[in-house]
Structures are given as C-alpha cells and as structure tokens.
Amino acid sequence: MVCARYLVAIFAAFLLEGAVASRLAVGGAHPDLGLALVVYAGLFHGRPLGVGVGFLVGLLRGCLEPEWFGLEALLLPWVGFAAGSTSNVLNRSHPILQGILIAALLLLHDLARAGVLAGASPAGALALWVSEAPGTALYTALVVPPAVLWLPRLLAGRGGRALR
Amino acid sequence: MARRGFVRPGLSDWLFLALTLVLSLALLAAGPEARAGAALFLGRTLFLPFRPALAIQPGAPEARREILALRERLARESLEWSTFEETLRENDRLRRLLDFREQETSPLVPAQVVGRSLDRFGESWLIAPGGGAPARPGQAVVSVDGLVGCVYAADGGFGNVRTLRNGALQVSAMLSGTRHAGMLHWQPLAGGLVLTGIPMHVPVRRGDEVMTSGYGGIFPKGIAVGEVVSTGDDSTSLVKRVVVRPRTDFAETEEVFLLGN
C-alpha cells in the first residue's frame, strides 16, 4: 500500500515540477520536489524504499534528458540510501531537520552530478555546482518541509508511525 | 517511540542498492542512440495515457481550440513580421537586390509541452506535436514570443527539445542593428544566455534586439531571440560577451510550434 502511494506521489511530484515548480522560480532556482520525495521516502520508510523511489524518480527524470538517461537513476538511489541511514538518528518529524537533510543531500547530489557533467575538469564542476546548487538547496529546504508537514501521516501509514 | 541510533545497512539494503546501480550503469553504458530511444519509449509510455487529459480543458474544448488557433496565428504573424523587418533592412542595405524573392515562412506545427526537465544543468522539454505530425531531430521550436530551442531526439510522435537554457544548445545569432553575428549559448556563470564572438569595436546597447542569423541551417534567419541586457569583455578581451534576455518565458510557455515540418 505504501509503495502504491509512493508511485502516485512520484508521478504527482514529476507533473508538479513541470506544471507548477517552474512558475515558482526565484532567481532561476526551483524547488526540487523529486529529490525531496526521495529524502522523505528514505527518512520515513528506510533504505529500501528510499533507494527504490530514488531509482524511479531518476528514471522519470531521464525521460526528459535522453542524453544522460540513467545518470539520475544512478545518483538518486544514493540519496534515498543516505536519507534512510539517518532514519533512526534524526528526529525525522522536525521540519527544520528535514530541511537541513534535504539541503545537504541536494548539495551532495548536485556535486556528484556536476562532477560527471564537467568530466575531467574539477574546477568546472565546482563552478557549475556553486552557480546552481545552493539556491535550489535553500529554496527546497525552505519550501518543501512546511508544505509537506501533512505528508508523513499520509505516506508513513501504520508501519511508519510505529517506527517513530 | 522512535528507535534511536544508527542502524547498519543489512545485506538486503546493499543488494537492493547494487541492483539499482547495475541497472543505471547498464543504461549509461548503452550508446547515445540506445539511451535516447529508451528514454523516449519510457516517456511516451508514461505520458500517452495522460495526453488527452493534458490536452483537453474540461468544459471548454471549443475555447481551447480557438486559443490554440489564435496562438498559432499570432506566432505566424510574429514570425512573418520579423521576416518583414529583416527584409526591409536587407532592401535598404542591398538596393541591387530589391527584386530578391520574398522569403517564405516555414509551416508551423503546433505542439504541446507535456513534460519539463527543470534540471539545473540544462533544461529540456518533452513535446507532443498536434495533428499526428511527427517531430524530427533538428527542427527549430518557437513560441509566440520567439525562439525556444531545437528538437534533438524524437520517437513515436514525441520530441525532446533542448531549450535555450541548455548549455548543450548553441545558436548562431546576430544583433539586428549592427548585423554582427556570434554564437549564443547558455552559461549560468556568465549571467545566463550569452552571445559571444561580437568584436570589441561593435557598439552594443542595452535593449538591442538579437535574432537568429540563419547560419548553420537549423534556425531560419530572423527569428526573435531576445534583447541585450548587459555587455562585458570576454576573457580574451578580443570579443564582447553580451548577455541576452530571452523573449520566451520558459516557465509559462505551454504551447510551442515546430518549424519546417
């Protein structure tokens, strides 16, 4: 049941990113709903679901970037894995901690991605990362946790609540 | 109560992660064409069931059709007006070519934006052309405001578009006033859309219009791209670095048009 909810949430996040998030751009930065969903999946349901959601979100994103199809599916499972590893360490219901975790994992994800895209140029990767990632990380961390305060109940279900 | 403390990943955690990594690496290891084919197949499969829902506004199909027709007409008029202005300038400069054959405008095929990648490292869209017309790699894509980008992969009626905000796309463009041409490409670190290759002696002012030059054969000459917002020196100090604000609002655009089908 939880998996079905996440499948719906993945597709909804993907459509929302295309339809709404682009209109919420501030200084070129948009909230990264897909990555936030991966973090929430890992945080509230552990590593396997975080990895699975990360892989599916990555595949969906790849549809729009045929040139790098598979890259996001390679990186986002790590985000879910890392979020799942913090599942029992953090007070996961705390929106500020959620925001910090989302921002940190988004920065790491973008650093890895910039490294791949910039090839053999570490300076280029760093420059790309500095120009694009911090704004998005801050925006996502500020917007998503308050907006999804209600989601843990919906997504966690009985098993998720029992883990808290 | 929540269990506290770090829990070591179990064997199943590692195996599941390894499985996704192997699948992803297999995709990445495939050739560019195979990757593009797989991506478009997946996109088409996922988006096809939702296409009618995306295309039809409940209760207002007539109004939507009318809006689409008007937008297409507006885009055509806008394109023709750009071409007309361009022709006037040509005639003014090149009097001996006054009887030069009028430039034909390419047919416009309306298409709907059905997916957007908000990738911070290069924006691309998935579009679905109307009327069963297939998209073709290399087709220019315009909106009612100006140039959007170029189709670089297509399959089963869907096309993947690299927008101007994608560093992989380079467009030959020129200043409409001085006629100097350069290469336009997305450079987030340099301020966004940047026109390079304009000699230092060329006067460039804020607000100057930038349009496609027609060089390269993909984008017809005279399509509005944007206007100059600032200028600076390139690192070589031999050419100018001109920052251009695109005319197209990439966040709001929902319908586009394919040129030259």
Side-chain angles (χ1 to χ4, degrees), chain B residues 83-100:
Chain B
T83 310
F84 177 63
E85 281 185 320
E86 188 54 27
T87 309
L88 278 179
R89 288 193 196 98
E90 276 186 7
N91 286 348
D92 195 36
R93 288 194 326 276
L94 309 169
R95 290 179 187 279
R96 64 190 171 86
L97 293 178
L98 270 176
D99 58 346
F100 194 67

Side-chain angles (χ1 to χ4, degrees), chain A residues 60-139:
Chain A
L60 267 179
R61 287 187 169 177
C63 296
L64 297 174
E65 305 165 77
E67 195 179 8
W68 288 102
F69 187 53
L71 179 58
E72 283 291 284
L74 178 71
L75 296 177
L76 282 175
W78 285 102
V79 173
F81 192 84
S85 298
T86 65
S87 181
N88 291 307
V89 180
L90 294 178
N91 177 5
R92 56 192 176 185
S93 301
H94 201 296
I96 294 176
L97 290 179
Q98 289 173 4
I100 291 171
L101 184 64
I102 288 171
L105 291 176
L106 192 149
L107 289 171
L108 286 173
H109 163 270
D110 277 15
L111 187 62
R113 173 129 202 220
V116 173
L117 294 181
S121 166
L126 198 61
L128 198 61
W129 179 74
V130 166
S131 70
E132 299 297 320
T136 304
L138 185 65
Y139 194 176

Side-chain angles (χ1 to χ4, degrees), chain B residues 114-215:
Chain B
V114 294
R116 292 170 203 265
S117 158
L118 297 181
D119 188 353
R120 295 174 280 290
F121 303 121
E123 184 175 308
S124 54
W125 293 353
L126 191 67
I127 61 165
R136 290 197 321 268
Q139 273 187 301
V141 181
V142 298
S143 70
V144 292
D145 300 312
L147 187 66
V148 169
C150 173
V151 176
Y152 79 101
D155 186 32
F158 284 80
N160 199 284
V161 178
R162 272 187 189 136
T163 73
L164 288 174
R165 298 197 297 191
N166 189 317
L169 179 68
Q170 297 207 0
V171 179
S172 178
M174 66 181 179
L175 298 160
S176 64
T178 66
R179 324 299 301 167
H180 283 86
M183 288 307 290
L184 191 72
H185 54 285
W186 180 247
Q187 294 182 345
L189 286 178
L193 201 56
V194 175
L195 180 65
T196 54
I198 304 296
M200 288 298 289
H201 69 271
V202 175
V204 183
R205 288 182 300 275
R206 186 184 168 90
D208 282 355
E209 285 288 321
V210 177
M211 61 175 61
T212 52
S213 69
Y215 303 149

